[in-house]
């Protein structure tokens, strides 16, 4: 191993010799970091540079080996070149330790070398945020405020970023407002941009606009693009255009492909295609080349408005400009065909995508599955779901639900039950709506209540509870089936849940029990329902009781 060190010399540049890095890494992996032998490392002393140390730290798999090497290199023997760690070395070892959740170790290391700083504390905050430990991240932010004594902008930006990422924007706003009010830290462009992104993310566009307008430094391209995106997403194209015009007049940055594509997408989604095309023209005039995202925005907008021919022409223009259409491009075309009722064209286009070597994704498949359901071709839809699974694509729950609806509508109940049970094997877990569609469909047919009970059991086992609609369907099913005992049990379940029984189904229930001579039980049910359920028109239910049971005295108003 020592021979390897002698042969591997350091290059004059700051880039470390790869063979030397590999040799050191291999050596470290043979050492016990708890009681290592320093002797093999002594040959390294003349070769130590900050870039070498950083690269070794990043390459070593065991963080304890990295820490041992770092500590040794901080005071190597001999040290003829007077090597010492740079700030970047401390940042590198901190990154490695935090990536392995060794927070206490990293903290102790930085305290030992007296290198704890605002920038390095921000790394703790980000690492804790990545773990979802918001409380821990906030704790370190307050530690930075105490430690850094007025210079904690990195920690401030880190905690705001963590909170925005976690959708805790109101908490981020509270911290931001406090920082601004205290005027100890001067917010920079990253501070403002993070808050703008957070507000836009949550649809709080006016808050974002306020931060943007009150910036005390020049916005950068990311700030402008973030604000424009938020306004476009909110449908405020006039506001987006104003921000764009300010960007055009800026001395620090200019509109880029992201800026123009965002505006074009905003105009397209609002159906303002002339404005979108004008924006595309301006983009070209400024020497900014459109990319696939730019054209996809136009093609999607045209397709969703049913202008499929124009969308296809735009795709041709895109190809002529040297850009290759992707799955998203073609999915928009598929949607366009479906919107204008050209199912055959959509299916044909899907097959062409596959024949061209394109791999349709779950969104593309879902469009065609839904279209097959719309034109009442559930068999083809099911085959497409199976094709997706064979290609390694997990179908969406909404696609299964669309197939369930059409199978129930066509009374293909054995097929719908089988498909529901096959869902987990096809990579998709049934949701409550999936069970509801199938169960309520079965309840409408005599002889299916045993299957209903089995599916309700499966549903409850999977963590889904019945709602008022499903309970009413089940009650109706038992009434149609003539099972008054289960009907009565279901009614009490509904009452216990404080749900309301549908009036028509209540009529069927009362009729069923009265026909069996169980008038007294019907009266008791009504009394319980009267006390517990939030029925808006109780008199209508009382009238049903009077008509079917002929017991006016039992239903007098109280």
């Amino acid at each position: 191993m020592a021979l390897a060190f002698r042969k591997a010399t350091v290059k004059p540049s700051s880039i470390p010799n790869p063979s030397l890095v590999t040799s050191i890494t291999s050596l470290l992996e043979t050492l016990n970091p708890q009681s290592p032998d320093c002797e093999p490392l002594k040959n390294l002393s003349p070769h130590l540079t900050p870039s070498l140390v950083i690269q070794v730290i990043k390459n070593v798999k065991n963080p304890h080996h990295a820490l041992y090497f770092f500590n040794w290199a901080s005071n190597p023997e001999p040290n003829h070149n007077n090597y010492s760690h740079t700030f970047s070395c401390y940042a590198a070892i901190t990154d490695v330790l935090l990536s392995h959740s060794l927070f206490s170790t990293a903290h102790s290391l930085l305290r030992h070398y007296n290198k704890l700083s605002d920038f390095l504390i921000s790394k703790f905050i980000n690492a804790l945020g990545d773990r979802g430990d918001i409380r821990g991240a906030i704790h370190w932010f307050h530690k930075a405020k105490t430690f850094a004594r007025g210079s904690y902008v990195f920690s401030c930006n880190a905690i705001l970023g963590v909170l925005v990422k976690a959708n805790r924007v109101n908490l981020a706003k509270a911290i931001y407002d406090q920082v601004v009010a205290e005027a100890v830290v001067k917010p920079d462009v990253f501070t403002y941009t993070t808050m703008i992104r957070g507000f836009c993310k949550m649809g709080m566009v006016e808050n974002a606009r306020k931060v943007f307008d009150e910036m005390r430094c020049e916005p950068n391209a990311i700030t402008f693009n973030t604000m424009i995106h938020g306004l476009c997403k909110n449908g405020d194209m006039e506001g987006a255009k104003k921000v764009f015009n300010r960007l055009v007049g800026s001395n620090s940055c200019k509109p880029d492909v992201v800026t123009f594509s965002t505006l074009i997408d905003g105009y397209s989604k609002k159906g303002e295609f002339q404005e979108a095309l004008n924006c595309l023209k301006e983009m070209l005039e400024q020497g900014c080349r459109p990319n696939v995202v730019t054209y996809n925005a136009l093609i999607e907008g045209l397709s969703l408005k049913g202008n499929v021919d124009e969308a296809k022409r735009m795709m041709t223009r895109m190809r002529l400009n040297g850009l290759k259409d992707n799955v998203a491009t073609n999915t928009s075309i598929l949607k366009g065909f479906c919107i204008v009722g050209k199912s055959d064209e959509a299916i044909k286009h899907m097959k062409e995508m596959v024949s061209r070597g394109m791999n349709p994704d779950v969104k593309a498949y879902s469009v065609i599955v839904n279209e097959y359901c719309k034109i009442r071709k559930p068999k083809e839809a099911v085959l497409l779901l199976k094709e997706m699974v064979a290609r390694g694509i997990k179908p969406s729950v909404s696609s299964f639900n669309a197939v369930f609806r059409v199978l129930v509508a066509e009374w293909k109940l054995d097929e719908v039950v089988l498909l529901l049970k096959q869902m987990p094997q096809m990579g998709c877990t049934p949701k409550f709506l999936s069970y509801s569609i199938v169960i309520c469909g079965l309840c409408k047919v005599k002889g299916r209540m045993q299957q209903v009970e089995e599916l309700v059991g499966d549903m409850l086992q999977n963590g889904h509870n019945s709602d008022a609609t499903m309970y009413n369907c089940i009650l109706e099913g038992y009434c149609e089936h003539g099972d008054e005992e289960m009907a009565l049990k279901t009614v009490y379940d509904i009452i216990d849940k404080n749900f309301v029984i549908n009036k028509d189904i209540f009529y069927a229930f009362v009729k069923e029990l009265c026909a069996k001579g169980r008038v007294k039980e019907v009266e008791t049910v009504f009394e319980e329902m009267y006390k517990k359920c939030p029925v808006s028109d109780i008199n209508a239910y009382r009238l049903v009781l009077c008509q079917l049971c002929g017991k006016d005295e039992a239903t007098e108003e109280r």
Side-chain angles (χ1 to χ4, degrees):
M1 187 63 69
L3 181 62
F5 291 141
R6 285 195 289 270
K7 287 182 177 179
T9 59
V10 179
K11 296 180 180 179
S13 69
S14 61
I15 300 174
N17 189 313
S19 61
L20 181 57
V21 172
T22 302
S23 297
I24 299 170
T25 302
S26 300
L27 171 61
L28 288 171
E29 289 173 354
T30 66
L31 299 179
N32 179 357
Q34 303 303 320
S35 56
D37 179 11
C38 299
E39 194 64 32
L41 295 176
K42 288 184 178 180
N43 293 313
L44 284 173
S45 296
H47 307 298
L48 287 177
T49 65
S51 57
L52 175 69
V53 170
I54 291 168
Q55 199 59 53
V56 170
I57 288 170
K58 289 180 178 179
N59 280 24
V60 175
K61 294 179 181 178
N62 188 328
H64 298 289
H65 285 144
L67 179 61
Y68 167 70
F69 176 71
F70 180 87
N71 284 330
W72 171 82
S74 67
N75 188 25
E77 290 185 7
N79 190 10
H80 301 304
N81 296 332
N82 294 319
Y83 171 79
S84 62
H85 288 319
T86 62
F87 180 79
S88 297
C89 296
Y90 287 97
I93 190 63
T94 301
D95 285 336
V96 168
L97 295 174
L98 295 182
S99 69
H100 289 83
S101 299
L102 298 172
F103 292 92
S104 296
T105 305
H107 186 204
S108 298
L109 175 79
L110 296 175
R111 282 179 57 191
H112 175 74
Y113 289 105
N114 196 28
K115 294 295 181 181
L116 201 61
S117 66
D118 172 38
F119 179 78
L120 293 179
I121 289 176
S122 73
K123 289 182 175 290
F124 282 77
I125 294 171
N126 284 319
L128 288 161
D130 290 340
R131 294 177 62 194
D133 187 357
I134 304 299
R135 187 185 295 272
I138 293 173
H139 168 75
W140 271 92
F141 170 66
H142 289 301
K143 187 187 287 286
K145 289 180 71 174
T146 303
F147 175 83
R149 296 176 184 175
S151 179
Y152 54 91
V153 69
F154 287 110
S155 298
C156 176
N157 291 344
I159 191 62
L160 294 180
V162 164
L163 294 172
V164 165
K165 185 178 179 181
N167 295 328
R168 302 284 295 274
V169 177
N170 286 331
L171 184 52
K173 181 181 183 299
I175 290 176
Y176 170 80
D177 288 342
Q178 184 180 23
V179 167
V180 172
E182 289 174 349
V184 176
V185 171
K186 184 180 180 182
D188 61 13
V189 68
F190 299 103
T191 318
Y192 294 117
T193 303
T194 301
M195 288 309 303
I196 291 167
R197 183 174 71 251
F199 284 133
C200 289
K201 183 181 180 183
M202 303 305 292
M204 302 164 69
V205 181
E206 288 307 313
N207 295 71
R209 198 198 308 260
K210 184 174 184 293
V211 172
F212 182 77
D213 291 340
E214 294 176 357
M215 286 181 68
R216 295 184 181 180
C217 62
E218 187 66 22
N220 61 20
I222 297 174
T223 318
F224 278 111
N225 287 343
T226 303
M227 190 68 245
I228 290 170
H229 178 264
L231 291 164
C232 288
K233 188 178 176 182
N234 202 46
D236 185 2
M237 296 312 300
E238 185 178 345
K241 186 66 175 178
K242 286 180 180 177
V243 176
F244 172 79
N245 290 337
R246 179 175 164 183
L247 170 58
V248 171
S250 172
N251 294 322
S252 59
C253 51
K254 294 296 177 186
D256 57 14
V257 66
V258 175
T259 318
F260 284 109
S261 297
T262 303
L263 276 175
I264 289 169
D265 183 55
Y267 283 125
S268 297
K269 279 184 167 58
K270 290 199 75 174
E272 298 176 6
F273 296 110
Q274 192 54 54
E275 290 296 332
L277 291 172
N278 290 341
C279 196
L280 179 64
K281 182 181 177 183
E282 184 177 353
M283 182 180 187
L284 294 168
E285 288 173 350
Q286 292 196 19
C288 187
R289 188 183 178 191
N291 61 15
V292 174
V293 175
T294 316
Y295 281 106
N296 280 357
L298 284 161
I299 291 166
E300 182 185 31
L302 289 165
S303 297
L304 294 179
K305 284 293 181 179
N307 299 330
V308 194
D309 292 337
E310 187 61 37
K312 290 186 75 175
R313 280 192 286 271
M314 188 61 69
M315 185 165 69
T316 301
R317 177 177 172 180
M318 172 184 174
R319 291 169 176 169
L320 290 173
N321 285 328
L323 295 170
K324 188 177 181 180
D325 51 291
N326 58 19
V327 173
T329 321
N330 287 274
T331 301
S332 294
I333 301 292
L334 293 176
K335 290 177 183 177
F337 279 130
C338 295
I339 286 168
V340 297
K342 294 184 177 180
S343 303
D344 293 340
E345 289 292 324
I347 295 164
K348 179 183 175 184
H349 191 82
M350 179 72 160
K351 291 177 180 177
E352 287 174 355
M353 287 173 65
V354 176
S355 66
R356 286 168 50 203
M358 198 170 281
N359 294 314
D361 60 11
V362 64
K363 291 181 181 179
Y365 273 109
S366 296
V367 172
I368 303 302
V369 169
N370 289 337
E371 191 63 16
Y372 273 133
C373 293
K374 193 168 77 175
I375 60 176
R376 295 300 181 95
K377 288 187 175 182
K379 182 179 177 181
E380 287 80 356
V382 172
L383 288 173
L384 207 55
L385 290 175
K386 291 179 178 178
E387 180 183 317
M388 292 173 71
V389 175
R391 285 175 170 266
I393 301 169
K394 292 181 181 180
S396 65
V397 177
S398 60
S399 291
F400 277 103
N401 290 348
V403 178
F404 292 152
R405 287 189 184 95
V406 71
L407 287 172
V408 166
E410 297 198 347
W411 305 107
K412 296 180 178 180
L413 301 180
D414 290 331
E415 292 178 39
V416 76
V417 171
L418 178 62
L419 185 61
L420 178 64
K421 290 183 176 180
Q422 288 177 339
M423 272 184 80
Q425 287 76 43
M426 295 174 75
C428 191
T429 303
K431 301 295 184 186
F432 171 75
L433 184 58
S434 312
Y435 284 109
S436 182
I437 294 166
V438 177
I439 288 170
C440 288
L442 291 171
C443 288
K444 295 180 185 299
V445 180
K446 285 187 177 182
R448 295 280 182 170
M449 292 310 293
Q450 185 175 346
Q451 281 181 306
V452 167
E453 290 166 9
E454 290 175 5
L455 291 179
V456 169
D458 291 343
M459 181 187 75
L460 294 173
Q461 192 172 354
N462 286 326
H464 304 293
N465 295 316
S466 301
D467 66 355
T469 300
M470 184 180 288
Y471 268 119
N472 274 283
C473 286
I474 293 170
L475 175 58
E476 185 178 26
Y478 283 128
C479 290
E480 289 290 328
H481 196 255
D483 189 341
E484 69 267 22
E485 290 299 332
M486 288 303 298
L488 195 60
K489 178 183 180 303
T490 304
V491 163
Y492 279 112
D493 285 342
I494 294 173
I495 291 171
D496 288 342
K497 297 284 185 182
N498 296 120
F499 292 147
V500 175
I501 302 173
N502 176 279
K503 192 175 73 171
D504 293 334
I505 296 173
F506 181 72
Y507 183 96
F509 166 74
V510 172
K511 183 178 180 182
E512 180 68 26
L513 263 70
C514 286
K516 300 290 177 67
R518 305 178 70 168
V519 177
K520 190 67 178 175
E521 288 171 283
V522 172
E523 293 173 2
T524 304
V525 165
F526 180 79
E527 291 290 338
E528 288 296 308
M529 189 173 74
Y530 179 82
K531 292 175 184 175
K532 296 182 179 180
C533 298
V535 181
S536 58
D537 187 10
I538 193 67
N539 289 330
Y541 289 79
R542 183 180 286 110
L543 184 60
V544 168
L545 206 61
C546 293
Q547 289 175 342
L548 294 176
C549 298
K551 295 284 182 178
D552 292 356
E553 66 276 9
T555 60
E556 288 179 359
E557 293 186 19
R558 290 163 175 79

